[in-house]
Amino acid sequence: MHWIPTVDTKLNVWTTAAIIGAVIGLYNTLRGWWRNTLGKRGFFVSNYRKLAPHVRHDYVKELFGEPAWQYKQSVEQYVGDPEPEGMGISIAELEMTVRTWPLGRMGYLTTWCTEDEEVAMYSLTTRSRIFRPAIRVGSEHVIRLGKSHLSSLPHPQVAGPPRWAVGAHRFSYSEAHYFGSPGGYRTWVVGVSDAGHPASAPVGLGSNPDEHEDPAQIERYRAQARINSVLIAGGNALRLESVLPSAVGPEIGRVILIQPEYGLRAFLARLRWKIRFTAARLQEPKNNTE
């Protein structure tokens, strides 16, 4: 057995340090690849669940990076103290900073911050079939964006009736749910945003609640439409009806301008658009002849 060579299995300090460094580098590389590809959905959902009303904007930025859009918008709020005569509360306007993050191709995160950079409310919108996060509404209900129907939640009563708006190019629908102390004095606004998916326009309800005449239409729409957006507001004096129903999701006039598509998917989308454009151009002489 003297022909078997002797192998030195001892590791010195430098070899051990090199192995540890290589393992750490490989781990960071795989972690970054996972977060940017297959694990992106879980990364977004995990960070979203770390949010809550009244957190700092810098805290949100640490979780999701720099927002893509930022603008100012006025929101009404209640001021003053109630009196026996009921004349002690008035309504004033508060200017808030609205910021929106594109979550890849999957959705949008929007925050509404006060002048002190405190997040008063925030919303999550899905725009993909594979991004269906589970969100708890109150203490007894759980919904999935893009999957759960509006009828999966009880008809709103405490926080006011449903609100919707249907225009020439935009539409939105929202329902506010408030559960008092069991819900931590938060308000959950669920609905359908035209920037999300799927987006069923409430065309059968009229352009707004003032023109609505058939209560049964609301129940039919609630049973048909799927929730693609949820807005969570803390226990503050904001008058949510001053920004609803459009505030349930991002401003589509802004987010629609960005094109996050790339690679094969973007090529197929451009090819499909060119085919439709060419087909429409070929039909123009035939229509003119007729």
Side-chain angles (χ1 to χ4, degrees):
M1 300 296 294
H2 296 286
W3 55 271
I4 299 178
T6 303
V7 179
D8 185 7
T9 59
K10 296 181 180 180
L11 297 177
N12 57 34
V13 176
W14 298 110
T15 304
T16 304
I19 294 175
I20 294 175
V23 171
I24 294 176
L26 179 61
Y27 169 77
N28 291 333
T29 300
L30 293 177
R31 183 185 182 188
W33 173 83
W34 176 259
R35 286 186 172 183
N36 291 324
T37 54
L38 302 179
K40 183 178 291 187
R41 173 189 176 278
F43 177 72
F44 289 149
V45 173
S46 175
N47 284 348
Y48 171 78
R49 291 175 177 168
K50 297 177 183 178
L51 299 180
H54 311 302
V55 300
R56 299 177 300 108
H57 164 66
D58 290 341
Y59 173 74
V60 182
K61 190 167 64 173
E62 289 177 0
L63 295 175
F64 294 94
E66 291 288 344
W69 299 276
Q70 176 176 322
Y71 61 96
K72 301 287 187 178
Q73 183 167 342
S74 295
V75 181
E76 294 180 355
Q77 66 173 347
Y78 296 102
V79 296
D81 297 323
E83 295 180 357
E85 295 79 7
M87 301 297 291
I89 297 180
S90 59
I91 297 177
E93 287 193 355
L94 172 67
E95 187 177 66
M96 304 189 73
T97 303
V98 185
R99 299 180 175 93
T100 301
W101 286 258
L103 305 180
R105 304 190 188 104
M106 298 184 185
Y108 300 102
L109 173 72
T110 303
T111 62
W112 298 67
C113 296
T114 63
E115 60 180 4
D116 297 327
E117 295 295 8
E118 177 185 299
V119 178
M121 52 187 180
Y122 59 97
S123 70
L124 182 67
T125 299
T126 178
R127 59 186 296 258
S128 172
R129 295 184 181 90
I130 66 173
F131 187 59
R132 294 181 173 180
I135 298 177
R136 182 173 296 278
V137 178
S139 59
E140 300 180 356
H141 306 282
V142 176
I143 62 171
R144 279 194 176 273
L145 292 186
K147 183 177 181 180
S148 299
H149 293 84
L150 290 164
S151 58
S152 62
L153 294 174
H155 197 282
Q157 297 178 353
V158 178
R163 300 180 180 276
W164 65 86
V166 180
H169 303 286
R170 293 207 56 187
F171 64 87
S172 53
Y173 178 96
S174 67
E175 296 180 355
H177 297 269
Y178 180 75
F179 304 96
S181 178
Y185 299 103
R186 301 180 184 181
T187 300
W188 283 264
V189 181
V190 300
V192 180
S193 170
D194 50 6
H197 175 84
S200 301
V203 291
L205 305 182
S207 60
N208 55 65
D210 297 334
E211 299 182 2
H212 178 66
E213 298 180 355
D214 185 8
Q217 283 282 0
I218 296 181
E219 296 304 323
R220 285 194 288 267
Y221 177 75
R222 296 183 77 244
Q224 170 194 358
R226 298 181 183 180
I227 302 170
N228 65 24
S229 300
V230 60
L231 172 75
I232 301 177
N236 46 43
L238 295 179
R239 189 170 177 266
L240 295 180
E241 52 265 36
S242 64
V243 292
L244 292 178
S246 60
V248 72
E251 175 67 39
I252 191 173
R254 302 173 188 272
V255 301
I256 200 174
L257 298 179
I258 194 170
Q259 296 293 334
E261 307 293 346
Y262 55 88
L264 179 60
R265 185 170 181 174
F267 171 77
L268 294 176
R270 290 192 299 267
L271 181 61
R272 183 169 60 251
W273 182 87
K274 290 180 179 179
I275 293 175
R276 292 179 179 177
F277 179 77
T278 304
R281 292 291 300 272
L282 293 176
Q283 293 178 359
E284 288 181 0
K286 185 182 299 183
N287 294 336
N288 294 334
T289 304
E290 294 176 356

